[in-house]
Amino acid sequence: AAESKKFITFTVPRSLIKKSAEILVEDTFLFSAIVSNQGKIQIHKKSQIGRTLLEALNTNKKIEIKI
């Protein structure tokens, strides 16, 4: 996961473009998203989901992306 000023970005293989992905933290479903044309999933850091992901990243919890 890459962190910018406003976003957390997950980059996935380009073969998964336009596919639906589920994001799980410690095997608990968090949200689903569609992979962008650039092969990325972006989450705004100030959203509730973004804050949850930031906390998970900072505490080294397992984050999983399922297609």
Side-chain angles (χ1 to χ4, degrees):
E3 195 176 324
S4 68
K5 190 172 181 180
K6 291 187 176 186
F7 295 99
I8 301 166
T9 305
F10 294 99
T11 305
V12 297
R14 294 185 67 83
S15 61
L16 302 175
I17 288 173
K18 304 251 180 166
K19 299 236 191 298
S20 181
E22 293 182 351
I23 312 301
L24 300 105
V25 176
E26 293 290 321
D27 296 323
T28 304
F29 176 81
L30 187 60
F31 70 100
S32 63
I34 304 292
V35 178
S36 74
N37 286 333
Q38 291 84 38
K40 296 181 180 181
I41 300 169
Q42 276 192 332
I43 302 96
H44 202 283
K45 286 166 120 175
K46 291 194 176 183
S47 70
Q48 185 63 48
I49 291 170
R51 289 192 202 110
T52 304
L53 276 174
L54 268 180
E55 181 189 331
L57 286 168
N58 291 335
T59 56
N60 290 326
K61 291 186 177 173
K62 182 177 85 168
I63 299 172
E64 199 174 348
I65 300 173
K66 285 188 175 181
I67 304 296

